[in-house]
Every structure is written in C-alpha cells, then in structure tokens.
Amino acid sequence: TTSVRRLQTTFQARAFSSNGGSEGSQGNPFLVPGATAATILMLGALHVRRMYNDKKIEEARERGIELEFQPDAKAAFLRLLPLRSISRLWGSLTSVELPVWLRPHVYRAWSRAFHSNLEEAALPLEEYASLQEFFVRTLKEGSRPIDPDPQCLVSPVDGTILRFGELKGVRPMIDQVKGFSYSVSALLGASSVLPLVAEGNAHEGSSEEGKIPTEKSKKTWWRISLASPKVRDPVYVSPIRGIFYCVIYLKPGDYHRVHSPVDWNVLVRRHFSGHLFPLNERATRTIKNLYVENERVVLEGRWEGGFMAMAAIGATNVGSIKLFIEPDLKTNLPVRKLLHSRQPEERVYEPEGVGMMLKKGNEVAAFNMG
Amino acid sequence: STVVLVFQAQVPKSPNDKDPEFSFCVKRGERIRVGEALGRWRE
C-alpha cells in the first residue's frame, strides 16, 4: 500500500505540473486505478498468507504434528456474524434457476474448485436446474457398492475420517482437536439413552444398557427426557465398554447424501436448531464446542450390536438437513432469539419401541445448501 | 458438514472370552465413501 501511495503522489505531482498547476485539481485520473490496484494487492497478499498458513499446516500434519486448539480473533468475530441469515441468503442464491446453456459451465467450475466427480452424477448436467439441485445430486446406480461382509459397519457418507475410537474415561467425550474435547451427551442430547454407568457401580450387569422404554421404565425414560439436563442427578457417568465413535467430515465437493451404516431401528429423532459456524479444519481448531453448538439432527436407535446414534451436523454453507424418513422436518429456519431454546425438538417414531426400520445402505438424509 | 456416529458393538467381556470383537479398519485423515467398511467384528 505504501508503494501504491508513493506511485499516486508521483502521478499527482506529474499531473499537477503538466497541467500548469491550474487544472491539476480536476478529478485525479489515477485515483480509481490506484484504489483498485491497492485492493487487488491487498487481496493477493491475504491469499498468499492463507496459502502459506495452509502449507504450514500440511507440513505439520505430514510430520505427524497435530495442531492444538487455539481460539483466535476470527473465531470471536464469527460469533458476532448473523451466520444463519448468511446461510439462508446463500441458500436462496444457490436455488436460483440457471439457464440451461449455463448449467454445465457452472457445475464444471464448481467441481473444478471443489474436486467433485461429475462422471458419477446420475443425470446429465443440464438437468440440474440450480446449484442447490446439483449439490444434492444422486449418483449413478452402482457408484457406491455396499461392503458385502455381514459383520461390518459401513460409512454412511463420503468424506474424510477425522476421528474414531472407543469412548473411555470418566465421561463420554470426543476430541474435537488436540487440546479440546466435547461431551457426547451434549452432542446427542440430555435425553439420549447412550448406555452409561454411574460411577461407583461399574460392575457387570448394572449398566443401563440403553433399554428400549418398557412400560415400567417408560415413565422414568420420559421423566429424564422431559427433564432439563440440570434435573438429572449430577453423578459422573462413564460409558460401558464397547461404545465406539467415528467423525467424518464432508468437503463442499463431496456427495452429500447420508446412508444407513447398518440394519437398525431408528427410535427417536432430535433436531437442535443451533448456530451455523463453518466446520472446516480451521474452525475445528479455533471454535469451542463446534459440533455441540451447530444446527444438527440426531437419529438414535438400536441395532444388533446395541445402541446406535448418528448426528448430521450442518455448517454455514450447508445449513439444511433433509430427512427422507421424515420429509416434513424443516431445519435452518429463521429462529427468533426468544425461541432460541437449547432444548432439542424431539420425535419418537411409531410404533414406539420399534420405530423406523432401515437397511444397511438405505438413503436416510441429505445435506443441502442454505 | 460433518457426521458423527456413536454406536455400541460387541467386545469380549474377558481376555479369553470368545465374544466377537469390533475393530475399526480405517485411518485418520483417510478418504472414505458410502458403503465402504468403517469397522468389522470378528470371533
């Protein structure tokens, strides 16, 4: 900027002297190009700096160094932005119908920018009326074969494995990034039937195996589920053995439909209308409780191995989650502050205790823009 | 967007127990696609 400013002053001095000093005061012909140049220079500098930072992160990761949790000013600034409104504005922009001739160019540009695989799209590009329709595209038959092994649990989405492991320790926590972890009970909801053991009576058989609410336990079940978290007795509870987790991140260019990981019965659906922070790598390193604060839909139920829950978490650019098993669920709604309750909106699927039966590989939901 | 799976799977109650044991067959940072195995349980 200083060099541009020096350029401007020399230009101004030259313009002033060449016009005999009288007309030199007319609009400076170099002002606009100078400002434009300064802006381009600044954007270029920011981009170079961001690429340098990304390269540093990549090198650290290759050396096996994991960057720690480190909140920064940008994360604090993000909290001030109306991210839900921005997300809905983005949704209305991407739902604009494109002229047929323009569609292939837009979708090719998108797939070049975000490494999507256009060959797999089920329809010709001209058939997707808007970017939003393209984003939630289905794939050609046979593009995602389901692993035939009957003793395996499959990935519900395309994406990158961020974390996986067994829940251990005093309370069920999952690392968001090295140096910060979030509570599984907060992620799934206070009324989750995640099988836990109250500290002190961790001997076999006493663990709450996440029973399906029978007549007797139903009242307690409802009492707990209707009670706000603080009503539950504040004892430390730890997960029984054999509770596992897996966190999968979907990039903007990935296929964004969600499938069933096993054959299971979905008993309950919980919708948390939270924030819509971005969920990229930088956000996970700088924003606390990202997965617990963002808008999300949790499906909970049982499979042959016992308890099963799947949380689909939205982000600023992908704020909506559509459930094929419950088409009338609406997410990413304009939430007026007073209605912004922390309690999830919950639905028990009929018939109670049996819920919705899903086969391994069935389509369950889809993320969408806005 | 992100998907988090939390699930219960068989684990042997004691070292010489014959119960099947679940184990992941993925690595962190790995790309995965719908339908590919995340983990298997073996006798």
Side-chain angles (χ1 to χ4, degrees):
Chain A
T1 339
T2 37
S3 49
V4 172
R5 204 166 286 138
R6 204 173 303 125
L7 264 176
Q8 272 181 347
T9 38
T10 40
F11 273 131
Q12 273 167 356
R14 209 162 292 156
F16 193 77
S17 57
S18 63
N19 297 334
S22 57
E23 297 79 44
S25 60
Q26 279 163 9
N28 178 339
F30 298 103
L31 190 60
V32 173
T36 316
T39 313
I40 292 168
L41 266 176
M42 187 190 66
L43 290 175
L46 285 173
H47 187 64
V48 165
R49 193 173 72 128
R50 171 146 181 173
M51 283 171 65
Y52 172 69
N53 284 341
D54 288 354
K55 194 166 174 338
K56 255 193 347 183
I57 291 168
E58 208 47 48
E59 280 164 7
R61 190 180 292 126
E62 271 149 26
R63 285 204 306 268
I65 301 168
E66 186 179 355
L67 296 170
E68 303 235 353
F69 180 73
Q70 198 175 1
D72 62 7
K74 268 188 203 168
F77 175 65
L78 271 176
R79 284 187 182 280
L80 306 175
L81 290 181
L83 292 173
R84 299 176 66 86
S85 314
I86 294 170
S87 176
R88 280 201 309 287
L89 173 65
W90 171 241
S92 15
L93 280 179
T94 54
S95 59
V96 169
E97 182 157 346
L98 300 172
V100 178
W101 61 271
L102 184 61
R103 294 173 185 174
H105 305 288
V106 171
Y107 306 150
R108 280 200 194 97
W110 174 273
S111 61
R112 205 168 301 123
F114 295 109
H115 314 297
S116 305
N117 180 344
L118 289 179
E119 309 311 316
E120 295 178 327
L123 306 174
L125 297 182
E126 291 78 5
E127 308 260 327
Y128 297 106
S130 66
L131 183 56
Q132 216 175 55
E133 262 191 39
F134 170 74
F135 186 81
V136 76
R137 66 193 174 281
T138 54
L139 302 183
K140 282 184 181 119
E141 197 57 41
S143 300
R144 294 290 181 275
I146 303 300
D147 190 303
D149 178 356
Q151 293 192 306
C152 85
L153 179 142
V154 299
S155 176
V157 290
D158 279 18
T160 307
I161 304 280
L162 289 188
R163 292 190 177 271
F164 63 90
E166 186 175 359
L167 288 178
K168 292 183 173 141
V170 177
R171 293 169 61 210
M173 306 290 278
I174 298 179
D175 280 355
Q176 176 177 308
V177 71
K178 188 177 172 188
F180 183 81
S181 49
Y182 56 94
S183 147
V184 176
S185 305
L187 175 76
L188 302 181
S191 55
S192 167
V193 289
L194 177 69
L196 299 171
V197 173
E199 265 314 272
N201 61 349
H203 50 278
E204 286 309 304
S206 63
S207 63
E208 271 305 295
E209 277 274 323
K211 293 181 180 58
I212 295 177
T214 54
E215 200 45 47
K216 177 181 159 313
S217 68
K218 201 184 303 180
K219 288 191 184 49
T220 35
W221 195 70
W222 277 111
R223 181 176 65 78
I224 289 175
S225 63
L226 293 176
S228 66
K230 48 184 168 303
V231 172
R232 297 182 72 174
D233 34 354
V235 291
Y236 272 137
V237 287
S238 55
I240 63 171
R241 276 216 59 210
I243 305 286
F244 298 91
Y245 67 91
C246 185
V247 182
I248 305 173
Y249 169 66
L250 293 83
K251 289 182 180 151
D254 282 330
Y255 165 61
H256 266 74
R257 286 182 178 236
V258 186
H259 295 246
S260 175
V262 289
D263 297 351
W264 62 310
N265 292 58
V266 185
L267 303 177
V268 185
R269 177 271 296 149
R270 265 177 231 113
H271 170 219
F272 299 75
S273 61
H275 295 283
L276 279 171
F277 294 119
L279 286 180
N280 54 39
E281 195 271 339
R282 144 174 271 286
T284 52
R285 267 189 303 113
T286 57
I287 300 175
K288 258 187 188 218
N289 274 324
L290 199 50
Y291 301 134
V292 170
E293 294 213 17
N294 262 25
E295 173 129 16
R296 62 192 181 282
V297 171
V298 173
L299 298 177
E300 193 172 286
R302 294 184 67 76
W303 70 304
E304 71 169 279
F307 174 84
M308 170 63 73
M310 184 155 70
I313 308 168
T316 317
N317 58 342
V318 185
S320 296
I321 298 148
K322 179 178 176 50
L323 278 188
F324 299 124
I325 57 174
E326 189 186 343
D328 48 2
L329 173 70
K330 293 279 176 279
T331 60
N332 194 0
L333 297 175
V335 178
R336 281 182 296 287
K337 275 286 162 262
L338 67 159
L339 290 181
H340 193 54
S341 81
R342 308 288 300 162
Q343 293 306 317
E345 184 252 323
E346 190 165 288
R347 174 174 170 182
V348 176
Y349 288 133
E350 302 297 330
E352 200 165 319
V354 177
M356 296 247 192
M357 174 70 202
L358 287 176
K359 300 296 285 174
K360 191 191 278 191
N362 281 168
E363 266 192 16
V364 184
F367 287 102
N368 209 336
M369 294 170 158
Chain B
S1 30
T2 299
V3 167
V4 181
L5 275 182
V6 180
F7 56 96
Q8 193 175 358
Q10 291 96 339
V11 284
K13 301 234 177 350
S14 62
N16 50 8
D17 197 333
K18 281 286 160 272
D19 261 0
E21 167 137 26
F22 177 83
S23 59
F24 283 99
C25 52
V26 289
K27 284 192 295 293
R28 268 182 59 185
E30 183 181 324
R31 292 284 299 159
I32 193 157
R33 305 200 319 175
V34 168
E36 291 175 352
L38 279 174
R40 301 179 196 278
W41 54 96
R42 286 280 174 268
E43 301 301 327

